[in-house]
Amino acid sequence: MHVAVIGAGVFGGWTALYLLRRGARVTLLDAWGPGNSRASSGGETRVIRATYGPDKIYTQLVARALKLWPEHEERWKRRLYHRIGVLWLAGKDDRYERAALSVMREAGLPFEELTATQVAARYPQMGVEGVEWAILEKDAGYLTARVNCQAVMDGFVMEGGEYREAAVAPGAIQGGRLQEIKLSDGSTLSADLYLFACGPWLPELFPDVLGDVIHPTRQEVFFFGTPAGDSRYNEDRFPAWIDNGERIFYGIPGNQHRGFKLADDSRGPEFDPTRGDRTPTPERIADARRYLGVRFPGLKDAPLVEARVCQYENSRDGHYILDRHPGAENVWLLGGGSGHGYKMGPALGEMAADVVLGKRAPEPFFQLRRFAQKASVGEPKFRSQRRFADRMPG
């Protein structure tokens, strides 16, 4: 069975690897390479955490991923996962956090519940204005993003997979099957099955199916410099954190010495991932500085040492897509990471490989038909428009 996987980001790379391990012959393709600067899987770091409200499927995937990331660290002798903990800050409306506790207990994930007073005592470098209580996930932390995408691709090739760097366009669909894909070098490639895991480029490749389902948005990420010799903001003294307030901010200390990472999870304007300008804006820098001064007063005047613009690949409801193309039985679509998919890469890739090869049924939670079912009840376009419950940063 020959499977072509288009997209070497965290979803495509891990799925290609598990397809290979399940006995398929796999060709992995990417226009600019794994973890490139245009990719939603690019950049330095991503949070890995399991606080997902009542959505068991995500917590279970994270629990599985928390086993698979370290397992592959050992296999490849490369650091992929930094277990520094994640502090989730809850406000007055804490139904999302309360719903998550029993789900995490059921999954066997260790955590502490902390009052705002305990947070302030344990982490005096953090202000607790607006914080009611917090969840400290002990096995959570952060992942090195672009570096890990390269590690997965290296492992894939080492185990016998074929990687080709080329842009891809789907060919004709005839008789309910995709006949071939066209590559930017002028060649074509035919396979038995095709998996498109192209992130924000999915709606361009399949506008009739995904054009109104996936919307890339422009997101800005900042790294602030900490005072020389001040270890309070290092990752051995402070966890990654998510502040679930009216606007969700999140951050990671340390970041392999790149600085104190801070980002606003609010959805930005729609964005062209190929041609969009990636210069940070003064308005978003000012927003970040205002927040930094409140939550981390010791960094109020910290210099901005680095910034980047990436994109979220938002599905309409913020949940992933893993389903067959409705017009081509040999084409599978995997995407909708929506700013929270990176952490689950190995677990989702394992699941997707089994679905594509017919070893398990697709999860209804990730199927396309949910959008048709919800359209009649006025579904919001992005999850940032919802009041709580399905906001899923990091």
Side-chain angles (χ1 to χ4, degrees):
M1 179 72 72
H2 182 201
V3 185
V5 177
I6 299 91
V10 71
F11 284 2
W14 280 107
T15 304
L17 182 62
Y18 277 103
L19 284 165
L20 192 68
R21 290 175 179 173
R22 302 295 194 259
R25 178 166 70 93
V26 185
T27 302
L28 176 63
L29 304 104
D30 196 280
W32 291 288
N36 68 80
S37 293
R38 288 181 172 99
S40 295
S41 294
E44 297 307 310
T45 51
R46 296 291 188 280
V47 174
I48 179 167
R49 49 85 193 180
T51 298
Y52 266 97
D55 290 326
K56 287 187 179 183
I57 191 166
Y58 286 131
T59 301
Q60 291 165 351
L61 282 168
V62 173
R64 178 63 177 155
L66 283 167
K67 291 181 172 25
L68 293 174
W69 285 110
E71 179 183 301
H72 284 84
E73 281 189 323
E74 178 61 27
R75 182 193 289 251
W76 295 332
K77 309 302 179 189
R78 298 172 75 160
R79 185 80 182 272
L80 309 173
Y81 157 58
H82 297 253
R83 185 178 175 269
I84 66 170
V86 169
L87 185 68
W88 182 289
L89 305 175
K92 289 187 182 302
D93 186 352
D94 63 355
R95 288 173 288 174
Y96 186 81
E97 291 79 15
R98 292 292 176 196
L101 298 179
S102 61
V103 180
M104 287 194 288
R105 286 192 191 97
E106 184 180 333
L109 297 169
F111 64 88
E112 284 185 72
E113 295 177 58
L114 302 176
T115 65
T117 301
Q118 289 172 320
V119 170
R122 190 175 300 190
Y123 306 112
Q125 60 273 66
M126 169 179 270
V128 293
E129 179 182 328
V131 176
E132 296 291 317
W133 63 287
I135 301 169
L136 178 62
E137 294 187 41
K138 297 182 178 180
D139 282 348
Y142 74 89
L143 305 157
T144 43
R146 60 182 177 81
V147 170
N148 290 4
C149 288
Q150 184 65 49
V152 173
M153 200 272 279
D154 291 344
F156 168 76
V157 172
M158 183 175 60
E159 293 185 30
E162 178 192 8
Y163 172 71
R164 297 178 65 177
E165 198 156 295
V168 171
I173 295 175
Q174 297 176 344
R177 294 180 64 84
L178 179 65
Q179 302 302 308
E180 63 184 14
I181 53 177
K182 301 174 183 179
L183 309 188
S184 53
D185 61 7
S187 65
T188 60
L189 185 148
S190 296
D192 299 299
L193 297 171
Y194 303 87
L195 173 80
F196 287 84
C198 310
W201 292 276
L202 279 169
E204 291 184 23
L205 295 179
F206 301 101
D208 55 332
V209 177
L210 298 174
D212 193 43
V213 171
I214 291 177
H215 298 268
T217 57
R218 190 181 197 274
Q219 307 296 141
E220 299 187 26
V221 179
F222 306 104
F223 297 83
F224 290 93
T226 58
D230 188 343
S231 63
R232 292 176 301 158
Y233 305 100
N234 292 350
E235 59 190 65
D236 59 345
R237 296 275 303 277
F238 195 74
W241 50 273
I242 298 168
D243 190 348
N244 191 20
E246 283 301 311
R247 292 174 68 171
I248 304 174
F249 281 86
Y250 66 94
I252 305 172
N255 289 274
Q256 300 286 277
H257 310 293
R258 298 195 87 86
F260 193 84
K261 180 178 179 177
L262 174 67
D264 183 349
D265 188 64
S266 303
R267 293 325 186 231
E270 292 206 25
F271 187 66
D272 183 333
T274 303
R275 293 166 288 277
D277 179 74
R278 294 178 184 265
T279 306
T281 60
E283 294 80 10
R284 297 290 79 77
I285 295 172
D287 287 344
R289 283 199 176 281
R290 276 192 293 271
Y291 175 82
L292 195 66
V294 172
R295 190 61 77 216
F296 299 95
L299 296 178
K300 180 180 179 181
D301 299 316
L304 180 66
V305 295
E306 190 171 330
R308 75 182 304 267
V309 174
C310 59
Q311 70 272 323
Y312 284 172
E313 169 225 351
N314 305 285
S315 70
R316 284 213 309 258
D317 61 4
H319 300 307
Y320 309 152
I321 295 164
L322 172 55
D323 204 356
R324 199 188 301 269
H325 186 292
E329 64 180 7
N330 63 337
V331 173
W332 290 86
L333 305 172
L334 175 60
S338 302
H340 69 107
Y342 194 98
K343 66 181 78 63
M344 299 178 203
L348 192 62
E350 185 181 51
M351 172 191 287
D354 286 342
V355 169
V356 169
L357 296 176
K359 297 179 182 293
R360 64 177 292 173
E363 288 285 345
F365 194 73
F366 299 143
Q367 289 185 293
L368 286 164
R369 63 188 179 193
R370 71 184 192 265
F371 297 112
Q373 292 168 347
K374 291 180 180 179
S376 62
V377 295
E379 178 190 25
K381 190 173 183 181
F382 298 125
R383 60 184 167 88
S384 58
Q385 294 173 268
R386 295 167 179 247
R387 184 161 172 235
F388 68 105
D390 63 349
R391 297 186 294 176
M392 300 173 290

